[in-house]
Amino acid sequence: MSGVTIRDARPDDLDTIIAFIRALADYERLAHEAKADRDMLARHLFGPRPMAEVLIADHEGAAVGFALFFHNFSTFEGRPGIYLEDLFVRPEARGLGAGRALLARLATLAIERDCARLEWSVLDWNAPAIAFYRAIGGRAMDEWTVQRLDGEALVALSSSANPRR
């Protein structure tokens, strides 16, 4: 893995994390959906109750990639899992092994934390990423489809709930 090191992100990495998120959003043609800002990320990544964690891949003193992840829980397994929300390596750094190193570190964390699985989603048009995931042993969960509730639909459902007593 040719000089690539993986480390936990620190609060002073916030600008780098934001840059990675924006670059990923551009790559995925979703820049219009990228709303995260420095204050949000500081609170949710490094605040009193962190909701996610970030790994940074460094090569020759420069951050070249990141992985943002959090824990989920499998009721069937009775154990936690790790959900990889974002994985991104700068185009000029691809081929150095940074993506594989980030995933290997996540696999190690999953084992150390007694997780049953490591999961992620990939856009169906992203053939290079899909090929990479297959090469490391990833498999598609074709029988499952992702569902999402956000925006006005999320607010509408919330407002229909009975108030807590």
Side-chain angles (χ1 to χ4, degrees), residues 19-28 59 63-66 87-99 128:
F20 282 136
I21 291 169
R22 289 187 179 140
L24 175 61
D26 286 341
Y27 176 76
E28 292 182 340
H59 181 259
V64 297
F66 89 126
L87 176 70
F88 182 77
V89 175
R90 294 187 193 280
E92 64 275 13
R94 293 182 187 153
L96 296 174

Side-chain angles (χ1 to χ4, degrees), residues 65-152:
F66 89 126
L68 187 146
F69 65 98
F70 54 88
H71 284 277
N72 55 20
F73 193 84
S74 169
T75 55
F76 288 7
E77 293 281 347
R79 295 167 48 203
I82 290 179
Y83 186 82
L84 173 61
E85 178 66 23
D86 288 329
L87 176 70
F88 182 77
V89 175
R90 294 187 193 280
E92 64 275 13
R94 293 182 187 153
L96 296 174
R100 183 177 181 82
L102 285 162
L103 285 166
R105 180 66 184 134
L106 283 170
T108 300
L109 287 175
I111 291 166
E112 290 173 355
R113 296 176 183 186
D114 191 33
C115 294
R117 57 179 69 129
L118 169 60
E119 295 180 307
W120 63 91
S121 297
V122 60
L123 291 165
D124 61 4
W125 57 260
N126 194 345
I130 293 168
F132 171 68
Y133 297 142
R134 294 299 170 273
I136 63 163
R139 61 187 174 90
M141 303 297 292
D142 293 331
E143 64 275 14
W144 294 90
T145 61
V146 176
Q147 304 296 303
R148 178 176 292 168
L149 191 61
D150 62 3
E152 291 179 21

Side-chain angles (χ1 to χ4, degrees), residues 153-165:
L154 180 64
V155 172
L157 182 59
S158 173
S159 67
S160 74
N162 291 328
R164 293 183 187 204
R165 297 174 203 262

